Amino acid sequence: MCHTCLRPLRACWCPCIHTVPSAVQLLVLQHPLAVAHAKNTAHLLHQCMAGSRLEVGEVFAARDLQQWLHAPWPGQAAETGVHPILLYPATPPDPQLPVVMPPALPSAWLTQPEQLRLVVLDGTWRKSRKMLYLNPALQQLPRLALRDVPAGRYAIRKAHASGQLSSFEATALALAQLQDWSATHPAWQALMDSVDSAMAHHPRLQAQGNTKLPPAMP
């Protein structure tokens, strides 16, 4: 096992890591069952995004979660405003689960990317939805919806519907949307190089000889 990327040496992702600076901070909350998953792109994302934070769990202590969401992180001044937003689609009503309508995303927040903290839930749709309802603080966050979602590039992950992306791709697209990164922006290109390299290093694709990639963001 590689001690850096936590993957088998034959599928080590360290050559795929391209460190990317971002004005928007990134907090990844990962379901425990996703940690050992072969398609764990959240860990690669965490290593690529400078200053990001990754926490593993299904139910988080309320006090810890409040700190991760709202308190300034190392390197931020104590008086810095922090605006956490959740990357998650609209949640359909479920009579078995408590439904809390998220507040609207203030448009003024989008003009200050350096004060934004993007919160990403990493896990299957079922597990991430459970994380959302088991942690009330997450339900209180404004949500970010992705625009102009391209086809997924991470072919190892099987999408069950159009517009479904890996955690890495969805987060990269959200960061690009929040910071107006174009397809030629160095940060966007570095992230796409990372996901493309991860596919090239995956044993399954190497065995199949499948290296054809979908187009990049328009």
Side-chain angles (χ1 to χ4, degrees), residues 53-217:
R53 185 164 191 163
L54 186 150
E55 301 290 344
V56 178
E58 184 176 68
V59 182
F60 301 98
R63 186 174 183 179
D64 290 341
L65 187 55
Q66 286 294 329
Q67 286 287 321
W68 301 337
L69 293 176
H70 301 285
W73 285 355
Q76 283 188 304
E79 66 276 8
T80 301
V82 177
H83 302 313
I85 56 177
L86 180 65
L87 178 60
Y88 208 82
T91 309
D94 189 329
Q96 298 180 345
L97 296 171
V99 177
V100 176
M101 293 297 294
L105 176 58
S107 58
W109 287 14
L110 301 179
T111 65
Q112 300 174 310
E114 68 282 354
Q115 294 187 12
L116 292 177
R117 182 168 296 166
L118 182 65
V119 183
V120 176
L121 305 184
D122 178 59
T124 64
W125 281 114
R126 182 178 179 183
K127 295 300 183 184
S128 66
R129 191 168 175 226
K130 189 174 181 181
M131 291 169 68
L132 177 63
Y133 282 107
L134 291 177
N135 297 277
L138 297 177
Q139 301 177 43
Q140 299 169 11
L141 300 180
R143 297 191 193 178
L144 177 71
L146 295 178
R147 302 191 306 262
D148 304 322
V149 179
R153 297 166 68 85
Y154 193 60
I156 300 169
R157 175 191 179 278
K158 182 180 180 181
H160 298 282
S162 61
Q164 289 186 350
L165 305 173
S166 67
S167 296
F168 189 109
E169 294 171 300
T171 304
L173 193 61
L175 292 171
Q177 184 173 307
L178 291 171
Q179 299 175 91
D180 293 326
W181 291 347
S182 67
T184 59
H185 193 284
W188 173 261
Q189 292 183 332
L191 288 175
M192 292 302 98
D193 286 345
S194 291
V195 76
D196 291 348
S197 298
M199 286 204 301
H201 279 74
H202 199 283
R204 195 187 88 186
L205 286 188
Q206 290 174 351
Q208 295 175 347
N210 180 8
T211 56
K212 185 177 181 181
L213 305 177
M217 178 179 68

Side-chain angles (χ1 to χ4, degrees), residues 2-38:
C2 174
H3 296 293
T4 300
C5 68
L6 307 179
R7 292 176 60 82
L9 290 176
R10 66 188 181 92
C12 175
W13 270 352
C14 289
C16 311
I17 299 172
H18 301 284
T19 304
V20 176
S22 172
V24 177
Q25 291 186 323
L26 175 64
L27 170 64
V28 180
L29 302 177
Q30 186 177 44
H31 193 277
L33 294 181
V35 175
H37 202 286

